[in-house]
Amino acid sequence: MKKGQRQLSKNAKDFINDDYLQKLITSAKTDKVQIREIISKSLAKESLNIEETAALICADKELAEEIFDAARQLKENVYGNRIVLFAPLYIGNKCINECAYCAFKASNRDVSRRTLNTDEIGKQVEALENVGHKRLILVFGEHKSYDPEFIAETVRKVYSVKVGNGEIRRVNINATPLDIEGFKIVKDAGIGTYQVFMETYHHKTYAEMHPVNTSKGDYLYRLDGLNRAFEAGCDDVGIGALFGLYDWRFEVLGLVSHSLALQQTYGVGPHTISFPRLQPASGVEMNKKWLVDDYDFKKIVAILRLAVPYTGLILTAREKPELRREVMSFGVSQIDAGSRIEIGGYTEVGDAQVIEKEQFVLGDIRSLDDTMRQLLQDGYVPSFCTSCYRLGRTGEHFMEFAIPGFIKRFCTPNALTTLMEYLVDYASEPTREVGKILISRELEKISDSKMKGEVIKRLEKIENTNQRDMYF
Ligand code: SAM
Ligand code: SF4
């Protein structure tokens, strides 16, 4: 390797063929029989290839309704009604890049720059624990002060903060992709998922959004980022595209191609896929040409659900509450709630958003408790489970579906016990009331009497003692 040249993984390859993907989305057939065959394949929990995904993308309005129905069916039959909750914690917004869409870009003078110090991180984490969070994702700009040691130190600090019965049990990361050594350092700190969004898979748009003379301007280095993570031993990774930079249909094919490439190379696909939509941001002037409307957004979620049945889908608080509620029924597995993305936002700002302090504007700033209550009223089981990751059951999401009875034996009991912890320790009275009704209803559904007895025993312990974190 020449001095100054960046290290790629041994499997580095640019597997995105723009012309081919472009051709697929403009020429795929939308034959009814073929679309129904593809849907059946997905309902049988087989991943789709990019040609099949392209066919779903090109389906007309009538067939799109069948795609929505199938996504709902897959969710109901296969995934059940659990939904995992987390919160983002922005650590620092210094950045050397010039991403055209982001308020943190180096040249933006409208934004105030700040990095939380150790005490401030402690205060943010305490505030998050005090409302009931157990899972966080730490977010960083790209800057020399946010090197792998700093990220690892931050992760350790977050795990060390405990208030009352509160603790953070899983810390995920969203940061620039590291080199292999760097990934090893952050893995050793005990991270969960390492998330890197490609932003856009379309080469020309990528170059327009990320000037070539900037660190992020190197398309292949970013595309290869999670290969390096795998080679460093991090087999729990998340991918994503920022919808609104280019044609959503192309980006869906990019995400599915990426997922298949990781699966083929390392035997495990990404743990999660994120599909954020571009939001207004302070000091950012955006081209509106490719903004995705709500109808197409629903298609994105439903098609991804069908294309990658084993991959967790993350729906963020960028979206408004009503839309989140609707899209969740298509098989979203994780949402953030009670989120604030201003640096220091969990303790230092009031109810309104402070745009000069945040990366973009959020669509849903309801509290965790309000979100929990709505989920419970809609029949979801909100879960703070972190069990698989802590027991070394990596590839967690895959296992849920691949191992017969796994959901019944582990996921549902863990969802119920972590929900009970929330209800007892943090919920408002109305939320506690609906929560307990839902727990009773869910207990009725457990047919294995031994398992049911064990879950009831643990739920009673949580209600009557300070014993917590009794996971299966
Ligand atoms: N700096 C790291 C990087 O670029 O990979 C960490 C990510 S950044 C702090 C988190 C993500 O926010 C980005 O990957 C991008 O997809 C998203 N983002 C940036 N600007 C946005 C905007 N205006 N609206 C919605 N999402 C945005
Ligand atoms: Fe920096 Fe990330 Fe924002 Fe780009 S998206 S300007 S790298 S924080």
Side-chain angles (χ1 to χ4, degrees), residues 398-449:
F398 176 77
M399 250 184 295
E400 285 176 39
F401 309 109
I403 301 175
F406 192 92
I407 293 182
K408 282 192 182 138
R409 263 189 298 144
F410 300 108
C411 307
T412 306
N414 287 329
L416 295 180
T417 52
T418 55
L419 171 59
M420 183 60 102
E421 290 181 349
Y422 176 80
L423 297 178
V424 172
D425 292 335
Y426 308 103
S428 64
E429 200 44 52
T431 306
R432 192 173 303 137
E433 216 168 279
V434 263
K436 289 203 175 164
I437 296 170
L438 186 111
I439 290 182
S440 317
R441 228 187 294 146
E442 291 298 313
L443 283 172
E444 289 300 307
K445 295 188 202 158
I446 303 180
S447 51
D448 176 341
S449 57

Side-chain angles (χ1 to χ4, degrees), residues 128-152:
L128 285 156
E129 289 178 2
N130 278 334
V131 294
H133 279 294
K134 299 282 186 275
R135 305 169 63 114
L136 300 185
I137 182 154
L138 309 185
V139 186
F140 301 82
E142 179 172 346
H143 195 265
K144 62 179 183 327
S145 26
Y146 312 146
D147 63 10
E149 284 79 12
F150 175 81
I151 296 176

Side-chain angles (χ1 to χ4, degrees), residues 55-94:
L56 295 187
I57 285 172
C58 297
D60 61 22
K61 259 208 150 124
E62 190 194 330
L63 287 168
E65 288 305 316
E66 295 191 25
I67 291 172
F68 293 146
D69 286 345
R72 278 192 213 99
Q73 198 182 326
L74 188 70
K75 193 220 156 8
E76 273 167 34
N77 298 350
V78 185
Y79 288 78
N81 55 357
R82 280 165 306 114
I83 184 111
V84 169
L85 288 132
F86 69 96
L89 174 56
Y90 276 66
I91 301 294
N93 63 358
K94 291 197 278 185

